[in-house]
Amino acid sequence: MDGVFAVPTAPVRSREHQPAAGPAPRSGPAVRLTGIDVARGLAVLGMYAVHLGPNPLDGGRAVWFKPFEGHSAALFAVLAGVSIALMSGGRRPRQGRARTRVALRLATRAPLLVALGLLLSGLGTGYMVILAYYGACFLLAIPWLRCRARTLAVAALVTAVVMPLVSFALRSAFAPRDLVFEAPDVAWGDFATWHGLGRAAGVLLLTGTFPAVTLMAYLFAGMAIGRLDLRSPAIARRLCFGGAALAAGAYAVSWVATRVFGGLDAVHRALEPAAASYGMSPETLLHLDESWIHGTPPTTTWAWELLPSGASCTPFDLLVSIGLAASVIGGCLLLEPRFERLLRPLADLGGRALSAYALHFVAIWLIWDSADDGPDVFALTHFVAFSAVALITSVAWRRRIGRGPLEWAMARLSRWPDRLPDAYLPAGR
């Protein structure tokens, strides 16, 4: 984002950024769920579609890339929750010292993700990096490691419906915003003083582009999914079709609330002053700059919370995205055993999603920043090229080396709790 205000006649496409892998390593001898890796691979390609594909505002074939905006980030976040659940015991949550070790591993990964997120943001590519917000979510997930699927599903539903409204009320009082707005982000300097730490906590939890108070809806949903028997075809079918029904139902209710009961008219009225200053209608302003809602909807009217726009973190966006993510996960679990060889490259990519996520920012920085050719980053050929390179490299890496470089480093650095003697850990319940 180049400034606080976009130029409505030539809007900057939101370069939303979504993170990749959840907490990668597993504990114990459990067999890896390849269908989950396939879903991660699809999420990586969805991320490339958003970061490199053609701008949907250009019309034509580019509009097919619109559904990826926001929903690929949500899929990543839900899959991170699935990974946390599998890491902490799957269907049977770990107890006592075993759960304490998982909590310490998550607590170790949290600052590592924050640091990696700050490094990638420091490249200056203009993309919004989600990893620091993941770090905050990992800490928030620790008290929920003991919970089973039903409790986590209720937590996901309550968070999706209630927390956006709580966020709206708090931000209306302390951090009001309009539609065209550059959200704050964390920086290295924030961690040098107590005041900076307070600012960083506020950004990560409430006012940033991926605020943890609403992002946790995805983590809770993923943890609930990870507590199910994911090897059961019946469970996979319920996820696939139940998730699709949730997404369709939430979108339908949003459509009624905005189109029938006047929610969209209220949004347009709130945009009238800004639209008049740009010499255009409120409808046009919203169409051009809808991506600026990212993470924190405007506080000019409660009606913003009725929109289902991707990455807006409204209740309807969260419910639609959770439904779509569950449907994709269920579909991948169903299809992977039937088309194992065909889907193997996607699984290889998904197994190295954190590396694919981080390294594609480095590639963008090297290619486009050095060429000073930023606006041309969005093109179908770039999406295809990055996807092909990522798939081929992941297949070769898995065959010759194994775990991705960042996945290996994250596991290595967070393995220390497994070496602690039991005497140093509380027995717990």
Side-chain angles (χ1 to χ4, degrees):
M1 305 292 184
D2 294 325
V4 176
F5 297 99
V7 181
T9 54
V12 178
R13 182 182 177 191
S14 173
R15 305 174 102 180
E16 73 168 303
H17 130 312
Q18 39 274 353
R26 302 158 287 114
S27 295
V31 178
R32 192 174 187 97
L33 285 165
T34 308
I36 298 297
D37 283 333
V38 172
R40 283 200 191 94
L42 289 175
V44 171
L45 297 186
M47 173 188 66
Y48 289 173
V50 174
H51 290 182
L52 296 150
N55 189 344
L57 291 178
D58 294 338
R61 291 178 296 178
V63 299
W64 291 98
F65 284 76
K66 178 67 174 176
F68 294 106
E69 294 188 344
H71 300 310
S72 56
L75 177 57
F76 268 126
V78 172
L79 286 166
V82 173
S83 294
I84 291 174
L86 296 177
M87 183 182 184
S88 58
R91 296 176 64 191
R92 298 176 178 83
R94 298 185 188 279
Q95 304 297 323
R97 294 185 177 93
R99 186 175 64 230
T100 301
R101 286 189 168 90
V102 174
L104 290 173
R105 284 158 62 189
L106 287 175
T108 302
R109 291 168 188 231
L112 294 176
L113 288 171
V114 171
L116 180 57
L118 291 174
L119 286 172
L120 295 176
S121 296
L123 296 177
T125 57
Y127 289 88
M128 294 174 278
V129 179
I130 197 173
L131 292 181
Y133 301 90
Y134 266 11
C137 287
F138 279 19
L139 293 178
L140 294 177
I142 289 175
W144 299 82
L145 293 177
R146 69 181 69 222
C147 296
R148 295 188 177 271
R150 180 172 298 180
T151 301
L152 291 164
V154 171
L157 179 62
V158 171
T159 302
V161 174
V162 174
M163 290 313 299
L165 306 182
V166 173
S167 169
F168 183 96
L170 292 174
R171 291 184 297 104
S172 296
F174 301 107
R177 60 156 293 191
D178 205 334
L179 173 60
V180 183
F181 169 80
E182 186 173 26
D185 208 350
V186 290
W188 289 109
D190 291 333
F191 299 91
T193 66
W194 287 111
H195 179 270
L197 283 173
R199 176 192 176 276
V203 169
L204 292 174
L205 293 173
L206 188 65
T207 62
T209 52
F210 300 94
V213 295
T214 47
L215 195 65
M216 282 302 297
Y218 297 139
L219 271 290
F220 286 140
M223 291 174 70
I225 292 172
R227 293 281 185 246
L228 302 174
D229 181 8
L230 297 181
R231 303 192 184 282
S232 166
I235 293 294
R237 284 192 293 270
R238 290 175 189 173
L239 287 173
C240 184
F241 298 109
L246 173 62
Y251 190 86
V253 174
S254 173
W255 188 91
V256 171
T258 54
R259 307 283 177 167
V260 178
F261 290 104
L264 190 58
D265 291 335
V267 168
H268 290 159
R269 286 194 297 271
L271 288 175
E272 284 176 355
S277 68
Y278 291 126
M280 62 177 60
S281 68
E283 293 83 354
T284 301
L285 179 62
L286 179 61
H287 173 71
L288 292 178
D289 286 338
E290 186 177 7
S291 61
W292 286 87
I293 302 175
H294 204 294
T296 54
T299 55
T300 51
T301 172
W302 282 94
W304 287 106
E305 298 293 337
L306 301 175
L307 298 180
S309 308
S312 62
C313 288
T314 67
F316 292 108
D317 169 45
L318 295 173
L319 292 173
V320 168
S321 297
I322 288 172
L324 291 176
S327 185
V328 169
I329 292 170
C332 290
L333 291 171
L334 286 172
L335 292 175
E336 189 276 332
R338 294 174 172 81
F339 304 98
E340 181 178 1
R341 295 186 64 180
L342 180 64
L343 297 176
R344 183 73 247 183
L346 271 176
D348 290 345
L349 175 59
R352 288 138 201 87
L354 181 60
S355 297
Y357 171 74
L359 293 176
H360 100 285
F361 285 118
V362 176
I364 289 172
W365 173 64
L366 291 173
I367 297 171
W368 280 279
D369 278 23
S370 61
D372 194 22
D373 195 24
D376 291 334
V377 67
F378 301 115
L380 179 60
T381 53
H382 299 156
F383 162 67
V384 172
F386 268 66
S387 299
V389 169
L391 287 166
I392 294 171
T393 302
S394 296
V395 171
W397 192 281
R398 191 260 306 172
R399 289 179 176 176
R400 296 187 174 275
I401 300 176
R403 177 175 280 167
L406 289 180
E407 286 78 9
W408 175 86
M410 191 71 69
R412 185 89 174 178
L413 292 172
S414 62
R415 191 180 298 164
W416 65 270
D418 295 339
R419 297 190 293 268
L420 285 177
D422 286 350
Y424 287 88
L425 299 171
R429 289 186 299 165

